[in-house]
Amino acid sequence: MKLSLVKDQEKIDFNIYKEGGLAGRSTASLAVGGSDDGLRPMEMFASSLALCTSIDTLHILNKQRVYLDYFEVNITAERVKNKVPAIFKEIILEFVIGEEEHLVKVAKAVNLSINKYCSVRHMIKDEVKIETKIRLKT
C-alpha cells in the first residue's frame, strides 16, 4: 500500500492520495489551524473500523445470496478523558438494515467480521471495547 498526504497551502488540512488519485481529505480542528471540514484522524480511524466490518459483512452476505436494500452504520466513539494520547475507550457500531427477514444473518455476519476477519478490529482488540448493535430502519 502506498498513500500520500499533501498539505493544503493555507490550513493544516490534507488531501489523501492513493496510486489511482485523490482518495479523501482529512483536516485538523479550527483550534489548531485546520478548516475542520473533513475527517479528523480519530474520526477516520473509527470510520475505518466501520468500513472494514461493513465490507466483511456485506461480502459474507453476498456469498449467501443475501442482498440488502438498505445498509447503514452509525458510529459512536468515546475517547479516554484527561489523558494524552486520548485513545478510544469504546466504539459502538450500530448496523441499520431495512429487511427484518435478514436480521439473524446480518448479526452472524457482523459477528464473524468483528471476531475473525476485520483487520482494523484486530489491531485494537486489546485496547478498545467494541460493541455492535443491529436494528431495523424506522
Side-chain angles (χ1 to χ4, degrees), residues 50-117:
L51 281 167
C52 180
T53 306
S54 295
I55 290 167
D56 289 343
T57 297
L58 293 171
H59 182 69
I60 291 165
L61 292 170
N62 288 347
K63 282 185 167 185
Q64 298 172 9
R65 300 188 193 285
V66 173
Y67 305 101
L68 302 175
D69 290 333
Y70 186 85
F71 183 88
E72 173 185 344
V73 182
N74 297 309
I75 306 161
T76 304
E78 182 182 348
R79 294 171 74 176
V80 175
K81 296 189 185 338
N82 303 319
K83 188 175 178 186
V84 175
I87 64 171
F88 286 122
K89 177 180 177 181
E90 178 181 36
I91 300 173
I92 300 168
L93 301 177
E94 180 190 48
F95 295 83
V96 183
I97 65 168
E99 301 89 354
E100 185 173 2
E101 67 269 20
H102 298 312
L103 277 172
V104 171
K105 287 186 178 186
V106 170
K108 287 180 181 178
V110 167
N111 187 50
L112 271 173
S113 175
I114 285 292
N115 293 307
K116 186 172 182 179
Y117 296 118

Side-chain angles (χ1 to χ4, degrees), residues 10 21 36 75 85 122:
E10 304 288 320
D36 203 18
I75 306 161
H122 287 283

Side-chain angles (χ1 to χ4, degrees), residues 20-53:
L22 181 64
R25 182 169 169 77
S26 184
T27 62
S29 69
L30 293 171
V32 298
S35 64
D36 203 18
D37 65 355
L39 289 176
R40 294 204 208 125
M42 293 300 280
E43 292 168 333
M44 193 170 284
F45 190 84
S47 66
S48 292
L49 173 65
L51 281 167
C52 180
T53 306

